[in-house]
Amino acid sequence: MDLIPIGEAARRLGLNASALRYYDERGLVRPVGRRQGRRVYGVEELRRLAFLRTAQLLGIPLDTAGAVLDAPGARWREEVTGTLAALDALVSRARTAQEVLRHALDCPTKHPVRECGFLMGELDRLLDGVSPQQLAAEHGLRGAGGPPGLAAEPSGQP
């Protein structure tokens, strides 16, 4: 593959050229050189850019992506492990949020927070000092960090 100028590389990746310059400034991808004053990239650099673009689209922090690209094995693995733990927590919170909202949506009352006996009871338990984590555990939810215990209702309750 021939060397690709920055504008073409940006177009292929769906990025602005300024993003490629930013990656260069951060030391994540260095152009092979310059042609007529413009940065040019070879296949290895384009693969690095494609990895960074994919990481960006997936919400992977640039520090984590950069570590995978260049850090020694133990360091990038530690960085990835930390990012995976954060993603697990985010997924857990999102699932719990879905359950809370599904309960509200499925509740036959007009205003669940004011009228649903189950929901009001769980909120009152929070006010009485039961932790959100305890409520979550009681309802079979893992790793929830907000009022997730409200997400599932015990069988037989409205």
Side-chain angles (χ1 to χ4, degrees), residues 60-76:
I60 297 170
L62 271 182
D63 288 341
T64 301
V68 171
L69 286 170
D70 292 319
R75 183 167 163 260
W76 76 256

PDB file of all heavy atoms in Angstrom, residues 60-76:
ATOM      1  N   ILE A  60     -14.078   3.468  24.521  1.00  0.00           N
ATOM      2  CA  ILE A  60     -12.878   3.059  25.254  1.00  0.00           C
ATOM      3  C   ILE A  60     -11.995   4.291  25.414  1.00  0.00           C
ATOM      4  O   ILE A  60     -11.709   4.986  24.433  1.00  0.00           O
ATOM      5  CB  ILE A  60     -12.126   1.943  24.496  1.00  0.00           C
ATOM      6  CG1 ILE A  60     -13.012   0.697  24.397  1.00  0.00           C
ATOM      7  CG2 ILE A  60     -10.788   1.633  25.148  1.00  0.00           C
ATOM      8  CD1 ILE A  60     -12.473  -0.380  23.474  1.00  0.00           C
ATOM      9  N   PRO A  61     -11.568   4.587  26.633  1.00  0.00           N
ATOM     10  CA  PRO A  61     -10.724   5.778  26.836  1.00  0.00           C
ATOM     11  C   PRO A  61      -9.440   5.721  26.002  1.00  0.00           C
ATOM     12  O   PRO A  61      -8.862   4.638  25.807  1.00  0.00           O
ATOM     13  CB  PRO A  61     -10.401   5.737  28.336  1.00  0.00           C
ATOM     14  CG  PRO A  61     -11.452   4.861  28.951  1.00  0.00           C
ATOM     15  CD  PRO A  61     -11.842   3.879  27.879  1.00  0.00           C
ATOM     16  N   LEU A  62      -9.009   6.877  25.548  1.00  0.00           N
ATOM     17  CA  LEU A  62      -7.772   6.935  24.755  1.00  0.00           C
ATOM     18  C   LEU A  62      -6.571   6.423  25.534  1.00  0.00           C
ATOM     19  O   LEU A  62      -5.676   5.817  24.953  1.00  0.00           O
ATOM     20  CB  LEU A  62      -7.500   8.375  24.296  1.00  0.00           C
ATOM     21  CG  LEU A  62      -8.117   8.796  22.980  1.00  0.00           C
ATOM     22  CD1 LEU A  62      -7.712  10.230  22.648  1.00  0.00           C
ATOM     23  CD2 LEU A  62      -7.762   7.865  21.849  1.00  0.00           C
ATOM     24  N   ASP A  63      -6.554   6.660  26.840  1.00  0.00           N
ATOM     25  CA  ASP A  63      -5.436   6.144  27.635  1.00  0.00           C
ATOM     26  C   ASP A  63      -5.376   4.626  27.568  1.00  0.00           C
ATOM     27  O   ASP A  63      -4.301   4.042  27.491  1.00  0.00           O
ATOM     28  CB  ASP A  63      -5.547   6.605  29.086  1.00  0.00           C
ATOM     29  CG  ASP A  63      -5.253   8.090  29.245  1.00  0.00           C
ATOM     30  OD1 ASP A  63      -4.630   8.691  28.342  1.00  0.00           O
ATOM     31  OD2 ASP A  63      -5.646   8.659  30.289  1.00  0.00           O
ATOM     32  N   THR A  64      -6.544   3.988  27.615  1.00  0.00           N
ATOM     33  CA  THR A  64      -6.576   2.528  27.526  1.00  0.00           C
ATOM     34  C   THR A  64      -6.149   2.075  26.138  1.00  0.00           C
ATOM     35  O   THR A  64      -5.330   1.159  25.999  1.00  0.00           O
ATOM     36  CB  THR A  64      -7.990   1.994  27.845  1.00  0.00           C
ATOM     37  OG1 THR A  64      -8.347   2.410  29.168  1.00  0.00           O
ATOM     38  CG2 THR A  64      -8.058   0.484  27.744  1.00  0.00           C
ATOM     39  N   ALA A  65      -6.685   2.712  25.109  1.00  0.00           N
ATOM     40  CA  ALA A  65      -6.308   2.352  23.738  1.00  0.00           C
ATOM     41  C   ALA A  65      -4.813   2.559  23.530  1.00  0.00           C
ATOM     42  O   ALA A  65      -4.137   1.706  22.934  1.00  0.00           O
ATOM     43  CB  ALA A  65      -7.115   3.174  22.739  1.00  0.00           C
ATOM     44  N   GLY A  66      -4.299   3.667  24.028  1.00  0.00           N
ATOM     45  CA  GLY A  66      -2.870   3.936  23.902  1.00  0.00           C
ATOM     46  C   GLY A  66      -2.027   2.905  24.624  1.00  0.00           C
ATOM     47  O   GLY A  66      -0.973   2.490  24.126  1.00  0.00           O
ATOM     48  N   ALA A  67      -2.492   2.474  25.791  1.00  0.00           N
ATOM     49  CA  ALA A  67      -1.756   1.446  26.530  1.00  0.00           C
ATOM     50  C   ALA A  67      -1.725   0.144  25.747  1.00  0.00           C
ATOM     51  O   ALA A  67      -0.685  -0.522  25.661  1.00  0.00           O
ATOM     52  CB  ALA A  67      -2.390   1.232  27.908  1.00  0.00           C
ATOM     53  N   VAL A  68      -2.861  -0.238  25.152  1.00  0.00           N
ATOM     54  CA  VAL A  68      -2.900  -1.468  24.352  1.00  0.00           C
ATOM     55  C   VAL A  68      -1.927  -1.360  23.185  1.00  0.00           C
ATOM     56  O   VAL A  68      -1.247  -2.331  22.839  1.00  0.00           O
ATOM     57  CB  VAL A  68      -4.330  -1.762  23.851  1.00  0.00           C
ATOM     58  CG1 VAL A  68      -4.343  -2.910  22.850  1.00  0.00           C
ATOM     59  CG2 VAL A  68      -5.260  -2.071  25.029  1.00  0.00           C
ATOM     60  N   LEU A  69      -1.836  -0.177  22.605  1.00  0.00           N
ATOM     61  CA  LEU A  69      -0.947   0.011  21.457  1.00  0.00           C
ATOM     62  C   LEU A  69       0.534  -0.059  21.835  1.00  0.00           C
ATOM     63  O   LEU A  69       1.329  -0.627  21.091  1.00  0.00           O
ATOM     64  CB  LEU A  69      -1.231   1.355  20.789  1.00  0.00           C
ATOM     65  CG  LEU A  69      -2.510   1.449  19.969  1.00  0.00           C
ATOM     66  CD1 LEU A  69      -2.788   2.898  19.579  1.00  0.00           C
ATOM     67  CD2 LEU A  69      -2.433   0.560  18.739  1.00  0.00           C
ATOM     68  N   ASP A  70       0.898   0.523  22.978  1.00  0.00           N
ATOM     69  CA  ASP A  70       2.320   0.729  23.213  1.00  0.00           C
ATOM     70  C   ASP A  70       2.872   0.344  24.576  1.00  0.00           C
ATOM     71  O   ASP A  70       4.082   0.252  24.726  1.00  0.00           O
ATOM     72  CB  ASP A  70       2.663   2.209  22.982  1.00  0.00           C
ATOM     73  CG  ASP A  70       2.518   2.595  21.523  1.00  0.00           C
ATOM     74  OD1 ASP A  70       2.911   1.799  20.664  1.00  0.00           O
ATOM     75  OD2 ASP A  70       1.989   3.687  21.255  1.00  0.00           O
ATOM     76  N   ALA A  71       2.048   0.160  25.575  1.00  0.00           N
ATOM     77  CA  ALA A  71       2.577  -0.102  26.913  1.00  0.00           C
ATOM     78  C   ALA A  71       3.104  -1.531  27.013  1.00  0.00           C
ATOM     79  O   ALA A  71       2.651  -2.421  26.287  1.00  0.00           O
ATOM     80  CB  ALA A  71       1.492   0.134  27.964  1.00  0.00           C
ATOM     81  N   PRO A  72       4.032  -1.746  27.925  1.00  0.00           N
ATOM     82  CA  PRO A  72       4.493  -3.123  28.157  1.00  0.00           C
ATOM     83  C   PRO A  72       3.313  -4.004  28.573  1.00  0.00           C
ATOM     84  O   PRO A  72       2.324  -3.521  29.125  1.00  0.00           O
ATOM     85  CB  PRO A  72       5.487  -2.976  29.314  1.00  0.00           C
ATOM     86  CG  PRO A  72       5.876  -1.534  29.316  1.00  0.00           C
ATOM     87  CD  PRO A  72       4.708  -0.773  28.763  1.00  0.00           C
ATOM     88  N   GLY A  73       3.429  -5.299  28.308  1.00  0.00           N
ATOM     89  CA  GLY A  73       2.338  -6.244  28.533  1.00  0.00           C
ATOM     90  C   GLY A  73       1.635  -6.119  29.866  1.00  0.00           C
ATOM     91  O   GLY A  73       0.408  -6.069  29.932  1.00  0.00           O
ATOM     92  N   ALA A  74       2.382  -6.089  30.951  1.00  0.00           N
ATOM     93  CA  ALA A  74       1.750  -6.020  32.274  1.00  0.00           C
ATOM     94  C   ALA A  74       0.969  -4.715  32.436  1.00  0.00           C
ATOM     95  O   ALA A  74      -0.119  -4.711  33.014  1.00  0.00           O
ATOM     96  CB  ALA A  74       2.807  -6.152  33.365  1.00  0.00           C
ATOM     97  N   ARG A  75       1.514  -3.616  31.930  1.00  0.00           N
ATOM     98  CA  ARG A  75       0.852  -2.323  32.106  1.00  0.00           C
ATOM     99  C   ARG A  75      -0.428  -2.230  31.287  1.00  0.00           C
ATOM    100  O   ARG A  75      -1.452  -1.780  31.776  1.00  0.00           O
ATOM    101  CB  ARG A  75       1.776  -1.171  31.728  1.00  0.00           C
ATOM    102  CG  ARG A  75       1.106   0.163  31.996  1.00  0.00           C
ATOM    103  CD  ARG A  75       2.073   1.340  31.939  1.00  0.00           C
ATOM    104  NE  ARG A  75       1.284   2.540  31.801  1.00  0.00           N
ATOM    105  CZ  ARG A  75       1.073   3.176  30.667  1.00  0.00           C
ATOM    106  NH1 ARG A  75       1.628   2.762  29.559  1.00  0.00           N
ATOM    107  NH2 ARG A  75       0.338   4.262  30.633  1.00  0.00           N
ATOM    108  N   TRP A  76      -0.401  -2.638  30.009  1.00  0.00           N
ATOM    109  CA  TRP A  76      -1.625  -2.507  29.212  1.00  0.00           C
ATOM    110  C   TRP A  76      -2.683  -3.473  29.714  1.00  0.00           C
ATOM    111  O   TRP A  76      -3.871  -3.173  29.703  1.00  0.00           O
ATOM    112  CB  TRP A  76      -1.380  -2.606  27.715  1.00  0.00           C
ATOM    113  CG  TRP A  76      -1.124  -3.945  27.102  1.00  0.00           C
ATOM    114  CD1 TRP A  76       0.080  -4.429  26.691  1.00  0.00           C
ATOM    115  CD2 TRP A  76      -2.079  -4.967  26.788  1.00  0.00           C
ATOM    116  NE1 TRP A  76      -0.063  -5.695  26.154  1.00  0.00           N
ATOM    117  CE2 TRP A  76      -1.396  -6.039  26.202  1.00  0.00           C
ATOM    118  CE3 TRP A  76      -3.460  -5.076  26.945  1.00  0.00           C
ATOM    119  CZ2 TRP A  76      -2.022  -7.206  25.774  1.00  0.00           C
ATOM    120  CZ3 TRP A  76      -4.084  -6.238  26.520  1.00  0.00           C
ATOM    121  CH2 TRP A  76      -3.367  -7.291  25.944  1.00  0.00           C
TER     122      TRP A  76
END
